[in-house]
C-alpha cells in the first residue's frame, strides 16, 4: 500500500459535511480496474441556530420588540417562523396577536430583527402578565431558544419609548367623609381609584376624635370591635363583623364599613329653676282728712 494526502481548509462558514474522491487509474504492474476512494470532510464550524430574547415593557409602550438572532456561519438562506401565544396576558385584553416569517440571507453569520407586538392600554390595574413569541420551522438552521417571554407591567415600571409616560394603574385607597345624626350608624365607603383584576386588601383602624369636639370610641360610638363591613351590595347589604383585614374583590371599586353611634342626650332636659319672686313692699295710700 501507499498513502496519499491532501490538505483541507478550515473556515468559519457552516457548510455541513463535504466529500471529495480520489481515483487511481492503473498505468503498469496492475490488472485491476480503476479504483476510487471517498474522503469526508467533517465541518468544524457551529451549525447556525436561532434564538429569541425576553422583554419587559410598560403597558403604555405600545409595542414590545423582540430580537431574533442567528449564530453560526452559513452559506445558505435560513428562515424561521414566529407566532405569539397568550399566557396570563391574552389577545382579548392585553396584546395583539401577530405571526410571520423571518429570513436571514446567505453569508450573514448573525443578525437581529424585531417582532412588533401591539399592547392594549386600559385603565384597569393588572399585575405583571406574560405572553410568548414562539419560533418554529427553521430551515437550514436549528433553534437553540424557541420561546421569547414578553412581560407587561402596569405599575409604573418597564420599558417605554422616549417621550412616553409610564402607565401606573396601581389602585389608590380613599375614604369619603360622612355626617350622621347621633344614634344613626356611621357608614364609610372605602374606594379605590380604579378597578383591579386582583383583590385589594386593607386593614381598617378606628381612632377617637381629637379635641373637645372629638367623638370617643365606645362612648359616643359602639365599641371598635363591632365595626362591620358590607359583604353584599349597597341595595342588599350583608353586614359582617370585621375580624382583621377587609377585601375589595377583583373588579369592584369600593366596600362599605359601618359603626353604630350612641344617642347620649338626656331628654327631656332638666328643669331650669325659676327665679324667686321678690315681694315688693307698698305703703298704704294716705288717708283723707276727717270731716270737720
Amino acid at each position: 500500500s501507499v498513502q496519499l494526502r491532501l490538505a483541507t481548509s478550515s473556515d468559519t462558514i457552516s457548510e455541513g459535511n463535504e466529500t471529495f474522491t480520489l481515483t487511481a487509474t492503473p498505468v503498469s504492474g496492475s490488472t485491476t480496474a480503476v479504483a476510487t476512494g471517498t474522503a469526508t470532510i467533517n465541518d468544524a464550524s457551529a451549525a447556525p441556530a436561532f434564538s429569541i430574547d425576553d422583554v419587559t415593557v410598560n403597558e403604555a409602550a405600545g409595542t414590545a420588540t423582540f430580537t431574533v438572532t442567528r449564530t453560526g456561519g452559513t452559506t445558505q438562506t435560513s428562515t424561521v417562523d414566529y407566532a405569539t401565544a397568550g399566557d396570563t396576558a391574552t389577545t382579548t385584553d392585553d396584546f395583539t396577536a401577530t405571526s410571520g416569517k423571518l429570513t436571514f440571507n446567505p453569508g450573514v453569520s448573525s443578525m437581529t430583527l424585531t417582532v412588533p407586538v401591539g399592547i392594549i392600554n386600559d385603565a384597569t390595574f393588572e399585575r405583571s402578565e406574560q405572553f410568548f413569541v414562539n419560533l418554529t420551522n427553521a430551515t437550514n438552521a436549528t433553534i437553540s431558544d424557541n420561546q421569547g417571554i414578553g412581560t407587561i407591567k402596569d405599575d409604573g415600571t418597564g420599558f417605554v419609548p422616549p417621550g412616553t409616560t409610564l402607565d401606573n394603574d396601581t389602585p389608590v385607597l380613599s375614604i369619603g367623609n360622612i355626617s350622621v345624626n347621633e344614634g344613626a350608624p356611621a357608614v364609610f365607603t372605602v374606594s379605590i381609584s380604579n378597578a383591579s383584576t386582583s383583590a385589594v386588601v386593607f386593614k381598617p383602624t378606628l381612632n377617637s376624635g381629637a379635641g373637645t369636639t372629638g367623638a370617643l370610641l365606645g362612648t359616643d360610638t359602639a365599641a371598635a370591635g363591632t365595626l362591620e363591613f358590607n359583604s353584599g351590595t349597597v341595595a342588599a347589604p350583608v353586614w359582617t363583623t370585621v375580624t382583621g383585614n377587609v377585601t375589595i374583590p377583583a373588579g369592584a371599586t369600593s366596600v362599605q364599613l359601618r359603626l353604630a353611634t350612641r344617642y347620649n342626650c338626656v331628654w327631656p332636659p332638666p328643669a331650669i329653676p325659676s327665679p324667686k319672686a321678690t315681694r315688693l313692699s307698698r305703703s298704704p295710700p294716705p288717708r283723707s282728712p276727717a270731716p270737720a
Side-chain angles (χ1 to χ4, degrees):
S1 66
V2 64
Q3 290 181 315
L4 301 175
R5 78 174 184 180
L6 180 69
T8 61
S9 300
S10 178
D11 55 38
T12 59
I13 299 175
S14 178
E15 303 162 302
N17 295 340
E18 299 172 304
T19 62
F20 67 96
T21 61
L22 172 66
T23 301
T25 303
V27 176
S28 63
S30 175
T31 59
T32 61
V34 173
T36 301
T38 300
T40 300
I41 303 174
N42 297 317
D43 189 10
S45 302
F50 289 115
S51 63
I52 185 169
D53 64 348
D54 301 328
V55 298
T56 298
V57 297
N58 184 263
E59 190 176 67
T63 61
T65 300
F66 293 82
T67 301
V68 178
T69 302
R70 180 179 67 170
T71 57
T74 182
T75 59
Q76 297 176 303
T77 298
S78 296
T79 65
V80 65
D81 294 337
Y82 66 87
T84 56
D87 186 37
T88 52
T90 67
T91 56
T92 303
D93 300 317
D94 305 300
F95 71 98
T96 302
T98 187
S99 61
K101 183 185 293 291
L102 303 177
T103 300
F104 289 74
N105 293 323
V108 178
S109 60
S110 66
M111 64 180 297
T112 58
L113 293 176
T114 57
V115 181
V117 177
I119 304 299
I120 300 172
N121 189 3
D122 55 35
T124 299
F125 176 71
E126 300 156 303
R127 296 190 182 277
S128 296
E129 297 178 306
Q130 292 184 342
F131 64 96
F132 306 121
V133 177
N134 296 317
L135 300 181
T136 57
N137 302 326
T139 62
N140 297 322
T142 61
I143 299 177
S144 59
D145 181 357
N146 71 325
Q147 189 171 81
I149 300 175
T151 301
I152 304 173
K153 307 285 283 186
D154 197 21
D155 59 359
T157 64
F159 170 80
V160 293
T164 301
T165 302
L166 285 166
D167 184 50
N168 188 353
D169 291 327
T170 304
V172 177
L173 282 170
S174 64
I175 304 175
N177 296 327
I178 60 173
S179 177
V180 299
N181 293 327
E182 192 173 50
V187 180
F188 291 92
T189 299
V190 181
S191 303
I192 53 177
S193 54
N194 44 283
S196 172
T197 58
S198 56
V200 174
V201 181
F202 65 93
K203 179 180 180 179
T205 302
L206 290 168
N207 299 286
S208 295
T212 57
T213 60
L216 297 177
L217 292 175
T219 298
D220 299 303
T221 71
T226 64
L227 180 68
E228 299 173 305
F229 73 96
N230 182 6
S231 58
T233 64
V234 174
V238 178
W239 295 103
T240 305
T241 302
V242 174
T243 57
N245 296 332
V246 174
T247 299
I248 299 177
T253 56
S254 65
V255 65
Q256 291 179 309
L257 301 176
R258 79 174 181 180
L259 183 70
T261 65
R262 290 178 176 174
Y263 195 80
N264 292 323
C265 290
V266 177
W267 191 263
I272 300 175
S274 300
K276 291 182 179 180
T278 302
R279 185 173 184 178
L280 300 176
S281 62
R282 298 179 62 184
S283 299
R287 293 181 178 181
S288 301

